[in-house]
Amino acid sequence: MDAEGLESFRDFVDSRSSALLKTAVLLCGGDRHAGEDLLQNALVKAAGRWQRIDEPEAYVRQVLYRQQVSRWRLKWPRREVSVAEPPEPPGSDEPGADTAAAAELRLVIRQALSRLTARQRTVLVLRYFEDLPEADVARLLGCSVGTVRSTTHRSLARLRQLAPELAALGLAEAERFDAHDCSPVEVRP
């Protein structure tokens, strides 16, 4: 990589790494260290092809998704370590930190996501955090749109079961709208 390419890569990492890290952490079920590893591997792959990449962020995001898919397709997946309570995020006592309710909500969501399978978590992150349409999620994950729909439905049902307090957020409302025209549809209890 020449000096100009190296500088543009550094600028990209400086400007976009925090947003990409958020996605990577969500894909890893809230495990920040695994998310950092996932992002670092994606950036290493991007650095090797930097001169040939037209849309760097799209490329890095796709590498993130595909690496996560590869992780949950492994024959011997890594065992997750469960802890009774998640640690407090650094700097939560600083002025300007989120309110206690917002912090608790993030922890509840993170805990609930970490208890889903990697496939369920990935589909939910792509559909609701990244706001991708079902067809794009299916293309990224190499599956059918029907698989994305059924996985989304089962994942949301599992989230409701794991964290009923999320219903107050309106996560249950996500299924009430048709993905194509956003008109309300009947939802069975």
Side-chain angles (χ1 to χ4, degrees):
M1 182 181 317
D2 62 1
E4 183 180 321
L6 183 60
E7 186 63 31
S8 69
F9 180 73
R10 284 183 179 159
D11 291 342
F12 171 76
V13 171
D14 287 342
S15 65
R16 299 305 304 153
S17 62
S18 63
L20 292 168
L21 180 60
K22 287 178 185 177
T23 300
V25 169
L26 284 172
L27 288 170
C28 293
D31 183 348
R32 184 172 176 89
H33 297 294
E36 289 171 349
D37 290 344
L38 187 66
L39 178 58
Q40 183 175 5
N41 290 336
L43 290 173
V44 166
K45 288 184 179 190
R49 300 183 52 101
W50 190 251
Q51 302 294 3
R52 298 181 300 263
I53 298 174
D54 295 330
E55 296 181 38
E57 184 161 354
Y59 179 85
V60 171
R61 286 183 184 278
Q62 187 156 22
V63 171
L64 285 173
Y65 307 144
R66 290 186 175 176
Q67 284 182 334
Q68 185 62 20
V69 167
S70 294
R71 284 184 178 182
W72 45 263
R73 286 186 177 160
L74 287 175
K75 188 173 183 176
W76 300 104
R78 294 185 323 176
R79 310 235 342 119
E80 293 184 18
V81 178
S82 298
V83 293
E85 293 185 313
E88 289 296 319
S92 61
D93 296 329
E94 297 175 9
D98 289 346
T99 64
E104 185 174 339
L105 179 61
R106 275 198 322 272
L107 292 174
V108 168
I109 291 172
R110 185 175 291 167
Q111 277 183 327
L113 283 173
S114 71
R115 293 174 60 193
L116 295 175
T117 66
R119 181 181 192 122
Q120 289 174 327
R121 189 172 44 246
T122 302
V123 168
L124 289 181
V125 168
L126 292 174
R127 283 287 292 131
Y128 297 107
F129 181 74
E130 294 291 324
D131 198 27
L132 294 178
E134 292 168 338
D136 290 350
V137 174
R139 182 182 47 76
L140 283 170
L141 299 180
C143 62
S144 70
V145 173
T147 300
V148 171
R149 286 180 181 160
S150 63
T151 303
T152 301
H153 175 76
R154 278 188 245 114
S155 303
L156 289 173
R158 181 77 174 132
L159 266 181
R160 278 188 218 97
Q161 182 184 31
L162 294 173
E165 58 273 21
L166 294 178
L169 285 177
L171 287 182
E173 300 297 315
E175 284 188 319
R176 296 185 71 144
F177 294 92
D178 184 7
H180 301 294
D181 66 4
C182 293
S183 59
V185 296
E186 184 179 338
V187 176
R188 289 180 234 142

